[in-house]
Amino acid sequence: MLLTCSQSESFNRHIKSVYGEQVTVRSRLLEPNIDNGKLQIIHAPSYVDQLSDWLNAFATKTPVAIVVAVDSPNVEEMLNCAHCGVKAYCNSYMADPYYIQLQRLLENGQTWYPPSLLARAFDVARQSLNRSSAFGALKQLTAREKEISFAVADGNSNKAIAQQFGIAERTVK
């Protein structure tokens, strides 16, 4: 059995079409309880004003796997949900096989996040790491070398940089 908290009739119909009698739907945002099932799907648009506080209060402290379903998934919201302890984040109206896969993974102690959003999150993380290593490299330069590096980064020609700093063009190269 699994519990869905939603105030959306269309979402409720969609979830019932996926899980049938296996799902119980409630309109109130309920405290996670293993007696209601090992999986609780929260339709985020139904609880815009309450969801953040609810997740902070319950998501990391419960044996129930919390799923946040949203109508328009995005990376930032996914990462915030994961930080709060949410085990899955998904599109509210995703296809049945994805919901079945999500359920199977969560029942086996795993997590589920949309692959396309995970790819974007990893891109952001990679960019952050590249920026960090670039700043580390800049720390090794003198103040003047940094000025020249920034002039290069701004796209100035080697000749213009050489003239600006009073150095030979080959030094800039």
Side-chain angles (χ1 to χ4, degrees):
M1 184 170 107
L2 62 99
L3 175 69
T4 297
C5 295
S6 169
Q7 297 174 353
S8 167
E9 287 302 317
S10 63
F11 179 72
N12 294 344
R13 279 192 303 276
H14 180 68
I15 290 297
K16 285 187 176 194
S17 75
V18 175
Y19 294 113
E21 297 300 316
Q22 186 181 358
V23 67
T24 301
V25 177
R26 298 285 185 253
S27 61
R28 286 190 4 233
L29 192 55
L30 301 174
E31 182 175 334
N33 185 326
I34 200 75
D35 295 335
N36 293 328
K38 295 179 182 178
L39 182 65
Q40 185 166 337
I41 302 173
I42 309 299
H43 183 240
S46 297
Y47 309 100
V48 174
D49 296 333
Q50 303 167 272
L51 187 59
S52 181
D53 291 338
W54 187 90
L55 289 174
N56 286 324
F58 299 116
T60 59
K61 302 171 185 137
T62 181
V64 175
I66 304 296
V67 178
V68 173
V70 299
D71 295 347
S72 297
N74 67 70
V75 173
E76 183 178 356
E77 187 177 43
M78 178 188 73
L79 293 173
N80 287 334
C81 286
H83 180 73
C84 288
V86 168
K87 300 299 181 194
Y89 175 87
C90 63
N91 185 309
S92 304
Y93 298 97
M94 68 182 178
D96 298 9
Y98 295 113
Y99 268 114
I100 301 303
Q101 179 189 47
L102 178 150
Q103 178 186 14
R104 189 179 72 248
L105 288 170
L106 295 180
E107 286 176 347
N108 287 305
Q110 297 178 28
T111 58
W112 193 96
Y113 297 97
S116 60
L117 291 184
L118 283 176
R120 279 192 245 149
F122 286 131
D123 285 344
V124 169
R126 268 191 294 282
Q127 289 171 1
S128 175
L129 289 174
N130 288 342
R131 231 178 283 127
S132 295
S133 63
F135 284 123
L138 284 175
K139 287 181 183 177
Q140 298 173 6
L141 300 177
T142 66
R144 182 153 170 92
E145 288 170 333
K146 284 180 190 176
E147 287 181 61
I148 295 168
S149 297
F150 289 131
V152 171
D154 286 340
N156 297 319
S157 70
N158 289 345
K159 185 175 185 175
I161 294 169
Q163 289 174 347
Q164 177 184 350
F165 290 97
I167 57 178
E169 190 175 342
R170 70 172 192 270
T171 304
V172 176
K173 290 178 184 177

